[in-house]
């Protein structure tokens, strides 16, 4: 990889794959738990990658839970390839997709009549690497 060039990868689209939401009529607890998982799949020709980022959010008293899965589609730009798609996915895809998940969680909790759940700054890449090692 030439570090002076762009990766040669296109972020083609992102979409909500699945969402589950449950709440108790009572106010949610003060401690919020956030967990992430990911799944990667490559096309047969290795030129397109699907990256699924799953987020689970709940309070410590189990009065509310939200699980959402977003799918990002990335592809190599022909003639400009400068980074392996799988390497790109492990490093950049979760960072690019996290703002979409953050917005979905905040918006959903507000529309459900709850206080907005806003993620603190999260190094999602480190969290996912830690999960793989355990």
């Amino acid at each position: 990889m030439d570090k002076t060039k762009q990766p040669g990868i296109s972020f083609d689209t992102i979409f909500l794959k699945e969402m589950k939401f449950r709440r108790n009529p009572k106010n949610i607890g003060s401690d919020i738990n956030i967990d992430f998982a990911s799944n990667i799949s490559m096309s047969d020709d290795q030129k397109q990658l699907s990256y699924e980022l799953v987020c689970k959010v709940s309070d410590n008293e189990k009065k509310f839970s939200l699980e959402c899965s977003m799918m990002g589609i990335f592809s190599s730009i022909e003639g400009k390839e400068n980074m392996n798609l799988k390497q790109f996915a492990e490093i950049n895809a979760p960072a690019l997709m996290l703002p979409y998940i953050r917005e979905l969680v905040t918006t959903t909790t507000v529309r459900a009549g709850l206080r907005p759940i806003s993620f603190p700054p999260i190094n999602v890449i480190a969290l996912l690497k830690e999960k793989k090692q355990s």
Side-chain angles (χ1 to χ4, degrees):
M1 182 176 119
D2 182 346
K3 294 187 180 201
T4 64
K5 294 182 179 178
Q6 295 299 317
I9 295 171
S10 172
F11 187 0
D12 299 331
T13 192
I14 186 168
F15 59 88
L16 178 63
K17 181 179 174 188
E18 183 177 3
M19 186 167 93
K20 297 177 192 172
F21 179 81
R22 181 189 60 77
R23 74 165 284 194
N24 185 309
K26 298 179 184 175
N27 288 332
I28 63 175
S30 58
D31 290 331
I32 302 297
N33 306 307
I34 304 169
D35 189 31
F36 291 93
S38 65
N39 298 302
I40 300 171
S41 62
M42 296 283 291
S43 64
D44 291 338
D45 64 3
Q46 303 290 301
K47 292 185 178 187
Q48 189 176 61
L49 175 130
S50 299
Y51 190 96
E52 180 181 19
L53 185 59
V54 179
C55 178
K56 296 179 182 178
V57 183
S58 63
D59 69 330
N60 57 329
E61 297 172 23
K62 304 292 184 203
K63 293 179 182 174
F64 131 87
S65 68
L66 185 151
E67 181 177 341
C68 60
S69 166
M70 295 197 86
M71 184 72 73
I73 308 297
F74 300 86
S75 60
S76 296
I77 300 171
E78 194 167 332
K80 295 187 179 186
E81 298 92 342
N82 188 37
M83 186 178 213
N84 176 293
L85 267 175
K86 187 156 172 73
Q87 179 187 7
F88 175 87
E90 291 173 353
I91 298 168
N92 296 337
L96 288 169
M97 294 174 65
L98 183 61
Y100 294 90
I101 294 228
R102 176 181 278 127
E103 186 276 333
L104 179 69
V105 170
T106 301
T107 302
T108 302
T109 53
V110 167
R111 287 186 176 177
L114 301 171
R115 65 178 168 82
I117 303 292
S118 297
F119 296 172
I122 294 175
N123 184 341
V124 70
I125 299 159
L127 286 173
L128 292 169
K129 281 183 182 180
E130 184 180 297
K131 281 189 91 165
K132 281 186 179 181
Q133 292 173 353
S134 57

